[in-house]
Amino acid sequence: MSIRVSAVVLLSGSLLAIAASAPGETGQFAFAPPDSVSYQVSAVTARSRTADTAAAILDSALLSGEGTLTRTASGWALREKSAAISMKRDGETVDDPLLNILVGLTVTTEIDSIGTAIRVEGYDAIIGRIDSSMSSDQATMVKRLINPDAIAKRDLEEWNGRMLRLRGRSTAIGSVSYDTTTISFPNGTEALAYCATQVKDTLRINGILCARVAFTTDVRIGSLCQAIGVELQDICREFEVSDSLPEMRNDSAAQMHANVESVVEVATMLFRSEISSRKISFLMPDRSGTKVPMSMMETIRKAYLYAGR
């Protein structure tokens, strides 16, 4: 499951009250959701941005939405709709026209029989909303920042990345798997990133076996091994690289470290909750063309309330 904006879902006390530890229980992740399931979500994002030449900016956003996952002839259809979005900057409420454009937007993801996302549709409607709600000059400027195809591609990569890392894997506590991905930075650059997926523990929510899984990603293998407690030579062996490579010296201008802890139903792969943190740093040209060091820290929390589960 994913909410269609950068958002954080606030964990509810009711969810925590019905969760019980289930140490030692094992299973195998499988994408086998019910023929039809619906859910509601509330989300909050906290983000800080800093630059050498400007004061820090603190943003927070609150979002509520709903979704349905329904079986089709070829797999499943996931439909998600943003119901309400609000934002604050440095503690003051902000009327952001871009957020207003997302309210009521419905996005549909086509998923095949084994859980792989095939296509995402619905983001094209953003362009029409921009044209109908803004002046011509403002719409032209905003559309330079919005690429519906790129947003859809990001959704596909996020969904399929989770499927790849979990589907068919054991929930044995402490088990770790590794893979790589490509990270895009706000300045337009990209970097190879190393990922580790680790099962932390198991628990039951309303009697349903779930696993708490940590997804850790870093552009530096050295930082990744420190975060997950694995020896450098061992993790380099997993990625089939040498621990003498320049990247081990952390000399890249663009840096990124992210940690996501998710609670996932084992037998269905429905996500119950998620807590994540991300820190990135990079060089961004200012108006004079000078490259200025910038950094961003983001905290995200997600929880889904499923009807009848």
Side-chain angles (χ1 to χ4, degrees):
M1 302 294 112
S2 65
I3 199 66
R4 301 295 179 170
V5 296
S6 290
V8 186
V9 179
L10 193 62
L11 289 171
S12 67
S14 59
L15 175 63
L16 298 177
I18 57 177
S21 177
E25 290 196 59
T26 59
Q28 190 175 62
F29 289 107
F31 185 74
D35 287 350
S36 181
V37 62
S38 60
Y39 59 89
Q40 295 181 333
V41 60
S42 324
V44 173
T45 287
R47 182 185 297 117
S48 66
R49 289 173 290 166
T50 59
D52 280 2
T53 58
I57 298 174
L58 303 177
D59 289 337
S60 63
L62 174 64
L63 175 147
S64 62
E66 57 190 25
T68 59
L69 182 64
T70 308
R71 185 184 289 274
T72 65
S74 59
W76 280 267
L78 172 63
R79 294 180 177 87
E80 294 185 319
K81 180 180 180 180
S82 300
I85 308 174
S86 61
M87 178 179 173
K88 288 186 176 181
R89 173 159 293 171
D90 295 329
E92 298 293 330
T93 300
V94 177
D95 184 17
D96 189 330
L98 283 178
L99 293 183
N100 295 335
I101 288 169
L102 295 175
V103 175
L105 184 71
T106 298
V107 177
T108 301
T109 303
E110 180 184 342
I111 301 167
D112 70 13
S113 60
I114 63 172
T116 302
I118 304 300
R119 65 178 55 87
V120 175
E121 298 179 341
Y123 286 119
D124 287 344
I126 293 176
I127 301 301
R129 290 181 171 210
I130 291 173
D131 288 333
S132 63
S133 63
M134 300 181 181
S135 67
S136 177
D137 290 345
Q138 186 180 27
T140 299
M141 180 182 66
V142 171
K143 284 189 289 188
R144 292 195 186 112
L145 306 174
I146 302 295
N147 184 333
D149 291 339
I151 300 173
K153 180 182 177 182
R154 179 203 60 196
D155 279 2
L156 284 173
E157 291 174 347
E158 180 180 340
W159 176 281
N160 290 331
R162 296 294 178 86
M163 289 295 111
L164 175 66
R165 293 178 178 118
L166 291 181
R167 188 174 56 205
R169 299 189 183 277
S170 168
T171 62
I173 296 175
S175 60
V176 187
S177 60
Y178 301 94
D179 67 285
T180 59
T181 189
T182 300
I183 300 297
S184 298
F185 290 90
N187 61 2
T189 62
E190 293 185 341
L192 177 69
Y194 302 91
C195 312
T197 303
Q198 184 175 31
V199 177
K200 307 296 287 188
D201 60 19
T202 53
L203 65 157
R204 284 190 175 271
I205 299 176
N206 278 355
I208 299 173
L209 180 63
C210 302
R212 194 181 312 277
V213 183
F215 303 91
T216 308
T217 304
D218 203 299
V219 298
R220 301 158 297 179
I221 291 182
S223 295
L224 179 64
C225 74
Q226 293 174 13
I228 66 174
V230 176
E231 293 295 329
L232 180 60
Q233 60 266 29
D234 293 335
I235 202 169
C236 287
R237 189 179 306 116
E238 292 288 345
F239 287 109
E240 298 182 344
V241 299
S242 169
D243 59 12
S244 63
L245 290 175
E247 64 198 19
M248 304 304 167
R249 297 195 291 271
N250 304 337
D251 56 358
S252 174
Q255 304 290 346
M256 191 285 300
H257 178 85
N259 185 71
V260 181
E261 188 173 283
S262 304
V263 175
V264 189
E265 291 186 12
V266 175
T268 66
M269 289 183 65
L270 295 177
F271 276 62
R272 287 288 191 152
S273 66
E274 190 165 274
I275 302 174
S276 68
S277 61
R278 181 175 66 131
K279 181 176 181 179
I280 64 175
S281 59
F282 52 93
L283 298 176
M284 177 70 82
D286 61 15
R287 292 181 178 179
S288 68
T290 302
K291 292 185 177 181
V292 177
M294 297 191 69
S295 63
M296 183 182 76
M297 296 183 64
E298 182 180 67
T299 302
I300 299 178
R301 297 176 180 267
K302 295 183 180 178
Y304 299 89
L305 180 61
Y306 294 94
R309 297 180 73 80

